Amino acid sequence: MYKRAPLCQPSSNPPSLMADYGGGGADFLALYSSCSDNDPFLLAVVGRYCLWGSENPFDLVVEASAKFSTSPFSSHTNVGVVDQLKSTLTDEQLRLSRNTYFGYFLEMPRLTVHNQMIKFLICRELNQDNPDLFYVKINKNTLCFGLREFSIVTGLRCIGDVKHEDCYRGFNRLKEAFFPGRNRVSMDDLISCFEQKEWQSDGDAVRISLLYFIYTFLFSTMNCRSYISNGDFHLIESGKFELFPWGKVVFTILIDSVKDKLRKVNKFYRFGGLPLALQI
């Protein structure tokens, strides 16, 4: 299991890396090939910024001279989730949480989503055909962000099958225990259950907290009209969440929320998934 994500434990000297290797693609690729698996931050920086120099075959999605939308850009990422977990759960419940797949996030410092920074990247997006890659042009450099870079930055598993919903059928103890008789469980219901500490055991406290963490932080979902997937209830209750490729799901939500967004004007733009990964 990948336990040292740059989101949680940044290098003590990242600025010099960017200063030293921000000038050309050849140096960056050479540095990338020399990286070891024991240096995840170096991999994150080098892999995250794949530079091809000043020449690139892509055009900007929106020309630099064009007027950009003045509609607001925002995110519902619950950046205070770690503090909330630590203030809500007991010491024993926190100990159990640290032993789960998501346990390393409890060491994450409080971060801020810089919406204007992500808006700037969106304004510099390049046209290209791959729906799973996000290309931008900064100065004379072409930068690429994809699933590989997302995995390195976040530490989330990105290998495996995400189609679990169709495999889930029937009774779910966790759902029936806390939300009896409901076909769908809303975000408001989940948030209320977490805040009111409606559990009767340490194990259920951890399970409800995991759903709360996944939906409010990883998915950045705070819309009261959103609902908790029956498949996710099944993954948490069965323990199969430990091997599930959450990175694939979160990455897809993120890319869908930032890619090609300026092709049409909207009243507002909202980043989903884990936009923090774009600004690390």
Side-chain angles (χ1 to χ4, degrees):
M1 184 183 299
Y2 192 105
K3 286 290 187 181
R4 184 179 181 274
L7 271 172
C8 305
Q9 296 178 333
S11 168
S12 60
N13 58 351
S16 63
L17 277 175
M18 296 306 298
D20 293 345
Y21 292 94
D27 287 343
F28 241 61
L29 292 176
L31 181 60
Y32 183 81
S33 64
S34 68
C35 290
S36 71
D37 292 337
N38 296 324
D39 195 345
F41 181 79
L42 187 58
L43 280 169
V45 173
V46 180
R48 160 80 162 75
Y49 292 92
C50 303
L51 279 75
W52 280 273
S54 60
E55 295 182 3
N56 70 78
F58 310 130
D59 298 319
L60 291 169
V61 170
V62 179
E63 291 298 327
S65 59
K67 292 184 178 180
F68 295 111
S69 170
T70 57
S71 301
F73 288 72
S74 65
S75 168
H76 280 168
T77 304
N78 182 12
V79 294
V81 67
V82 172
D83 290 338
Q84 292 167 7
L85 291 170
K86 289 181 177 180
S87 65
T88 301
L89 301 178
T90 66
D91 290 344
E92 175 63 14
Q93 290 161 3
L94 284 171
R95 185 189 69 79
L96 294 172
S97 297
R98 284 190 170 90
N99 289 331
T100 69
Y101 169 71
F102 297 113
Y104 64 92
F105 279 99
L106 285 171
E107 308 307 318
M108 179 181 65
R110 190 182 182 96
L111 303 172
T112 301
V113 177
H114 296 283
N115 295 315
Q116 289 302 312
M117 178 188 298
I118 300 174
K119 177 184 177 181
F120 172 76
L121 294 175
I122 291 175
C123 291
R124 304 301 299 169
E125 183 186 1
L126 296 173
N127 278 307
Q128 53 85 32
D129 295 332
N130 192 325
D132 297 323
L133 294 176
F134 181 65
Y135 284 83
V136 298
K137 184 176 182 180
I138 307 296
N139 295 325
K140 295 183 179 181
N141 295 316
T142 300
L143 288 65
C144 174
F145 182 82
L147 185 62
R148 177 187 64 179
E149 292 76 32
F150 180 84
S151 175
I152 292 171
V153 170
T154 65
L156 292 170
R157 181 175 290 106
C158 295
I159 299 175
D161 188 5
V162 300
K163 295 180 180 179
H164 66 284
E165 190 76 41
D166 294 338
C167 299
Y168 170 75
R169 292 290 186 275
F171 177 82
N172 181 273
R173 185 204 64 83
L174 184 66
K175 181 180 176 184
E176 289 300 320
F178 293 95
F179 313 100
R182 302 187 196 181
N183 291 327
R184 298 192 299 178
V185 177
S186 71
M187 277 296 302
D188 278 353
D189 293 332
L190 176 63
I191 292 172
S192 176
C193 181
F194 173 79
E195 292 178 345
Q196 299 301 320
K197 305 181 185 181
E198 296 179 5
W199 45 77
Q200 299 297 321
S201 69
D202 291 339
D204 280 347
V206 172
R207 294 181 185 97
I208 292 297
S209 298
L210 286 171
L211 284 171
Y212 180 80
F213 171 80
I214 290 166
Y215 274 81
T216 67
F217 182 71
L218 295 183
F219 292 173
S220 298
T221 303
M222 294 297 286
N223 191 329
C224 62
R225 292 174 294 180
S226 299
Y227 296 90
I228 312 305
S229 157
N230 285 335
D232 290 339
F233 271 112
H234 173 66
L235 287 172
I236 297 299
E237 172 65 13
S238 66
K240 294 180 179 179
F241 74 93
E242 296 277 3
L243 298 176
F244 184 73
W246 294 102
K248 279 188 174 181
V249 178
V250 180
F251 174 77
T252 298
I253 298 173
L254 171 61
I255 287 296
D256 287 347
S257 73
V258 299
K259 191 173 173 61
D260 295 331
K261 288 304 172 184
L262 295 185
R263 292 188 185 277
K264 61 179 181 179
V265 177
N266 295 318
K267 291 183 179 180
F268 62 88
Y269 301 86
R270 182 162 293 135
F271 309 128
L274 192 56
L276 286 167
L278 273 173
Q279 62 186 53
I280 293 299

